[in-house]
Amino acid sequence: MMANEEYPKIYLYRRLVQAKLFIDAHYADNIDLSNIADEAYFSKFHFIRRFKNIYRKTPHQYLIFVRIEKARELLKANVPVSEVCYAVGFESLSSFSHLFKRVVGLAPSAYLTQQQVIKAQIIESPLTFVPACFAEKYGWLEK
């Protein structure tokens, strides 16, 4: 009898995970709430409530989170800001820049510059980015 009580919860959870995986796979596409809710076989409003209950973000907030994280990865890889904007699913450079700055705290161009500076510092003096105890253990520090 206990298995019958748990089955619906597991089934509903799997549908929500399926929707999350859909967002993860299609973040760069022009997807909206209807697409995502359809993927989980829920009505839009029921889906929003259930998704937020599990992931602590609405589906839209999660989509934005994924897009910004992917944008950060691309900027770290030295991809130009305009390419990043369209690669992660934004249609407007200004809305991307505004949202990126609100979430990350830096404009995308400033973030790109910051990442370039960090890479240059790593090349120039890599041991400053390694904990001293680790470097000492492996004999990397001069005595």
Side-chain angles (χ1 to χ4, degrees):
M1 189 164 316
M2 189 160 170
N4 289 339
E5 292 172 13
E6 290 181 24
Y7 176 75
K9 287 181 183 179
I10 291 171
Y11 178 68
L12 295 175
Y13 179 73
R14 284 184 179 164
R15 287 170 37 193
L16 290 166
V17 169
Q18 183 176 341
K20 179 194 171 292
L21 293 173
F22 177 80
I23 294 171
D24 291 342
H26 298 279
Y27 67 89
D29 299 339
N30 187 15
I31 57 175
D32 63 12
L33 183 59
S34 295
N35 301 124
I36 303 165
D38 287 350
E39 194 65 27
Y41 305 105
F42 284 117
S43 72
K44 286 189 231 180
F45 302 106
H46 188 65
F47 173 66
I48 291 170
R49 269 193 319 277
R50 290 212 174 251
F51 191 95
K52 187 171 184 179
N53 189 34
I54 289 179
Y55 294 107
R56 303 292 181 227
K57 290 178 167 69
T58 65
H60 180 72
Q61 289 169 334
Y62 182 73
L63 175 61
I64 296 302
F65 168 79
V66 170
R67 286 179 172 174
I68 295 298
E69 287 304 305
K70 297 294 182 182
R72 290 173 78 164
E73 289 174 19
L74 291 171
L75 291 169
K76 284 180 181 179
N78 213 23
V79 177
V81 173
S82 58
E83 285 182 38
V84 170
C85 167
Y86 302 114
V88 298
F90 287 93
E91 296 177 4
S92 161
L93 190 56
S94 63
S95 64
F96 166 67
S97 296
H98 176 74
L99 190 57
F100 189 93
K101 184 173 183 175
R102 193 176 77 204
V103 172
V104 177
L106 292 171
S109 55
Y111 185 83
L112 175 61
T113 302
Q114 178 192 60
Q115 295 306 309
Q116 290 168 337
V117 167
I118 290 170
K119 281 183 184 178
Q121 289 173 340
I122 290 172
I123 290 169
E124 187 177 305
S125 57
L127 284 181
T128 59
F129 293 88
V130 176
C133 60
F134 187 82
E136 186 175 335
K137 177 180 177 183
Y138 288 96
W140 297 346
L141 296 178
E142 294 177 18
K143 293 184 180 187

